[in-house]
């Protein structure tokens, strides 16, 4: 079995650190004592661990806790920082207690932002990283396989960046990109959060562009810190000789609004919050620069790891392996695999009539399928609007395509209905794979809906109901896979009725010169009120049409509710994937390559195999949407002579020295022990944590070849890879 160690923020129930009967630990270590040079397990928060690290170094004279005028104490480290304009204590007397405020908005860690006055080697993320590096060196030197989880704090509230990272961005903050939704009035025509709900944010300055540029500078500094640390960790894998036998996963649990729509933090279904990076590195199996541009879910990470380690038989979660996406071998045999779901509901049942909380006024479900995203409220009777967005055409999510007071077409309604039924199917699969009734039992909606979630979503109708709808104006086929002598791909067309009565479909046929390469699962159908038909259309051919000429094929749908509908079938230019080419030095994983006890969300499903047959256990789709959110930012350039410096009451030269004296103990954070181990040792290193990716903004060096190696040779799940290098933005990075 694996040795499992976890360092950093613990985002799951405490009992998951133990065996199921609670008799022994699954995670052997999660803490470190610098001056005893010993690892241990302490069941406390990472904030308490950080304070102990700082207290130990202060007791030996390495730190001096003094406050310059205007500086405040952050509630995480308990050390001074220099507030920026939107900080709740900006302009207040030095060391104003946070408890002087009585409202949660101003006492929140989200309201603490600025310049951390200790050096970069005393930040929460640095301690986290340094302890994990020591653990990595020790684990790599022993015989057993291991799983190491490193849950970096940054970038995360409190937003406090060390001067070494902050200075560059602060001096250029006037040129930092901010989205056009900053400063846009918060009304129902723009945002699905009303101005009333965001009064605190507006009053706190989150609609002011200059304020948002200040916050963005701090945030980018925190991102660069993580990029640097992850690069160091990847380099250590090379030094230890285990990089080719280690699975590295880097992801995030959420993003950050950074002032878009005048919001802060997470907890929304806007792309900047729910759309995060997912990077996987495993040289023997995943070629560098592999890109998956479908929406996938964090729930699937666990299943994917089990698949690559040969342990899918142990997977009982409701995720699905992403290996088919990575290798271009998925082909939608049982259902549409390209849908991802996120949910916002913190309620817990106390009894049959009471829940611990109530539904908030924002949407509770999000389902993403390709470029479309549907946001729905759980309660069927809610008078709040649902939202349908096209994130390709509307990247800042300002246009609701099904707004009740606007005009919209039957085509738009068809896409909203399509995503509704993808959500319902996902809930049903989730119940089947985990053998519970969480989405169908009314107890989970006590007093806030008379039905379970599935029925509430089916009953809800915030947009116009129609006698006939079809999911797609045209049906695009994604990459095909080789199945015997043919290339094969399945896509699903949905047809339904949302009004009382019966929809009789009298003819379902593929026509056109190229119709012969397509097969259709039904030739006719009868659909009752609120019913839906899932029509599987299969492409099967030895090759594509010559020279990738436009395909001549369409589905004819004849029915009793109006004119016939024609749905063209499209094949993209990348329809047939290139076979993967692996590095010559890559070697197959040894037969004893271990499985993973990932402390993040579990997720599963066997890979299925090459034959076009469903696996015995039905596969399942993910439950949280994650990908990368990409936004422009200025390239690094020389600082202009008129660039402002950090407005701070203490300059770097005034800050007490945080570097240890020459006789400092060898266990001071920057020192790392170096050992070597056999290159064939079975190892797992996983990486997870909240992050945003932004193209064009380099790490510390202006030369990409000299920058952090954080993204070297990384196979990437998401639509972002730039010349083999990735720069992560909006993460409190977690490296497993």
């Amino acid at each position: 079995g694996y040795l499992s160690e976890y360092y950093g923020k613990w985002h799951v129930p405490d009992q998951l650190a133990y065996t199921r009967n609670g008799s022994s630990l699954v995670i052997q270590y999660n803490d470190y004592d610098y001056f005893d040079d010993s690892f241990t397990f302490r069941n406390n928060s990472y904030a308490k661990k950080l304070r102990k690290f700082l207290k130990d170094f202060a007791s030996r004279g390495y730190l001096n806790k003094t406050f310059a005028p205007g500086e405040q104490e952050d509630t995480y480290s308990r050390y001074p920082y220099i507030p920026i304009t939107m900080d709740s204590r900006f302009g207040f007397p030095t060391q104003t207690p946070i408890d002087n405020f009585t409202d949660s908005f101003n006492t929140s860690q989200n309201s603490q932002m600025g310049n951390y006055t200790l050096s970069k080697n005393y930040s929460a993320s640095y301690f986290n990283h340094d302890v994990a590096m020591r653990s990595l060196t020790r684990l790599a030197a022993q015989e057993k396989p291991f799983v190491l989880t490193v849950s970096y704090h940054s970038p995360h509230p409190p937003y406090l960046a060390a001067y070494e990272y902050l200075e560059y961005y602060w001096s250029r903050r006037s040129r930092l990109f901010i989205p056009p939704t900053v400063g846009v009035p918060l009304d129902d025509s723009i945002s699905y959060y009303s101005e009333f709900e965001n009064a605190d944010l507006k009053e706190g300055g989150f609609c002011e562009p200059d304020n948002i540029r200040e916050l963005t500078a701090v945030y980018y500094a925190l991102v660069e810190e993580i990029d640097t640390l992850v690069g160091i960790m990847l380099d250590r894998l090379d030094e230890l000789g285990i990089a080719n036998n280690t699975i590295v996963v880097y992801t995030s649990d959420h993003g950050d609004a950074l002032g878009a729509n005048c919001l802060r933090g997470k907890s929304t279904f806007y792309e900047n919050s729910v759309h995060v990076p997912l990077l996987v590195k495993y040289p023997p199996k995943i070629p560098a620069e592999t890109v998956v541009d479908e929406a996938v879910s964090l729930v699937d990470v666990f299943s994917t790891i089990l698949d690559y380690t040969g342990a899918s038989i142990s997977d009982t979660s409701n995720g699905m392996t992403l290996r088919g996406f990575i290798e271009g071998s998925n082909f939608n045999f049982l259902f549409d695999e390209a849908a991802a779901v996120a949910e916002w509901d913190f309620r817990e049942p106390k009894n049959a009539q009471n829940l611990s909380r109530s539904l908030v006024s924002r949407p509770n479900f999000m389902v993403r399928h390709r470029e479309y995203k549907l946001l729905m409220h759980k309660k069927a009777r809610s008078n709040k609007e649902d939202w349908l967005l096209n994130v390709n055409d509307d990247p800042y999510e300002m246009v609701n395509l099904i707004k009740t007071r606007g005009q919209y077409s039957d085509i738009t309604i068809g896409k909203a209905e399509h995503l509704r039924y993808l959500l319902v199917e996902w809930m049903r699969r989730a119940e089947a794979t985990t053998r519970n009734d969480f989405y169908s039992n009314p107890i989970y909606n006590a007093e806030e809906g008379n039905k379970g979630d599935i029925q509430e979503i089916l009953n809800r109708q915030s947009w116009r109901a129609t006698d006939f709808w079809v999911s797609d104006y045209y049906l695009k086929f994604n990459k095909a896979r080789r199945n015997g002598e043919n290339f094969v791909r399945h896509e699903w067309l949905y047809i339904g009725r949302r009004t009382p009565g019966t929809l009789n479909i009298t003819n379902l046929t593929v026509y056109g010169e190229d119709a012969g390469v397509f097969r259709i699962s039904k030739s006719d159908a009868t659909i009752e009120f609120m019913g839906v038909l899932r029509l599987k259309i299969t492409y099967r051919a030895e090759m594509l049409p010559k020279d990738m000429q436009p395909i001549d094929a369409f589905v004819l749908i004849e029915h009793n509710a109006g004119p016939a509908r024609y749905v063209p079938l499209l094949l993209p230019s990348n329809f047939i994937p290139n076979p993967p080419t692996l590095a010559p030095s890559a070697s197959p994983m040894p037969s004893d390559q271990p499985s993973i006890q990932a402390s993040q969300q579990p997720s599963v499903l066997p890979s299925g195999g090459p034959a076009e047959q469903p696996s015995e256990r039905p596969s399942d789709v993910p439950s949280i949407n994650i990908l990368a959110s990409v936004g422009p930012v200025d390239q690094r350039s020389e600082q202009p002579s008129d660039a402002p410096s950090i407005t701070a009451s203490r300059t770097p030269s005034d800050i007490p020295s945080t570097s240890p004296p020459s006789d400092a103990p060898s266990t001071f954070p920057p020192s790392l022990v170096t050992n070597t181990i056999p290159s064939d040792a079975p190892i797992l290193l996983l990486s997870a944590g909240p992050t945003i990716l932004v193209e064009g903004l380099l790490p510390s060096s202006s030369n990409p070849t000299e920058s952090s190696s954080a993204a070297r040779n990384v196979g990437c799940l998401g639509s972002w890879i730039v010349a083999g290098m990735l720069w992560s933005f909006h993460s409190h990075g977690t490296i497993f």
Side-chain angles (χ1 to χ4, degrees), residues 120-295:
K120 64 181 182 181
N121 290 347
Y122 289 98
S123 73
S125 291
Y126 185 84
F127 276 113
N128 193 176
H129 165 81
D130 183 65
V131 172
M133 290 284 280
R134 296 168 187 272
S135 170
L136 173 61
T137 302
R138 174 178 47 78
L139 288 169
Q142 49 78 59
E143 296 295 326
K144 290 187 176 181
F146 65 82
V147 53
L148 174 62
T149 303
V150 189
S151 182
Y152 286 116
H153 174 78
S154 292
H156 190 275
Y159 304 108
L160 303 174
Y163 178 82
E164 294 94 326
Y165 294 113
L166 177 59
E167 190 277 336
Y168 177 86
Y169 300 99
W170 187 264
S171 65
R172 293 158 176 80
R173 66 189 183 279
S174 64
R175 303 191 339 242
L176 290 176
F177 170 83
I178 60 172
T181 50
V182 171
V184 173
L186 290 170
D187 59 52
D188 285 340
S189 67
I190 299 297
S191 170
Y192 56 83
Y193 297 89
S194 70
E195 186 168 357
F196 174 78
E197 293 171 301
N198 288 279
D200 285 336
L201 289 164
K202 191 172 182 180
E203 185 177 341
F206 279 83
C207 287
E208 299 299 324
D210 287 344
N211 292 347
I212 299 307
R213 288 188 175 92
E214 288 188 4
L215 175 58
T216 301
V218 175
Y219 195 90
Y220 283 7
L222 294 172
V223 168
E224 182 168 320
E225 176 185 30
I226 300 306
D227 181 73
T228 300
L229 298 179
V230 171
I232 292 170
M233 184 164 285
L234 292 181
D235 287 342
R236 176 51 54 90
L237 289 176
D238 290 334
E239 294 165 8
L240 294 171
I242 61 174
N244 276 350
N245 197 31
T246 300
I247 297 175
V248 181
V249 181
Y250 179 89
T251 189
S252 299
D253 63 348
H254 62 78
D256 197 289
L258 285 183
N261 302 98
C262 301
L263 298 173
R264 72 177 185 184
K266 54 181 180 179
S267 306
T268 77
F269 289 141
Y270 284 122
E271 290 292 281
N272 50 40
S273 177
V274 77
H275 186 168
V276 300
L278 176 56
L279 286 71
V280 180
K281 180 178 185 287
Y282 185 37
K285 297 291 184 181
I286 305 175
E289 301 187 18
T290 299
V291 176
V292 174
D293 57 9
E294 299 284 4

Side-chain angles (χ1 to χ4, degrees), residues 485-510:
E485 296 181 354
N486 294 313
F487 287 98
V488 177
R489 177 72 187 191
H490 308 284
E491 296 294 349
W492 296 84
L493 190 70
Y494 285 64
I495 305 169
R497 181 185 183 100
R498 291 291 298 181
T499 57
T502 299
L503 174 64
N504 292 314
I505 300 178
T506 55
N507 184 19
L508 290 166
T509 308
V510 180

Side-chain angles (χ1 to χ4, degrees), residues 426-443:
W426 178 85
M427 288 190 284
R428 286 172 173 160
R429 286 196 301 274
E431 288 196 340
T433 54
T434 54
R435 296 180 177 84
N436 63 42
D437 58 354
F438 185 76
Y439 293 108
S440 56
N441 192 332
I443 189 175

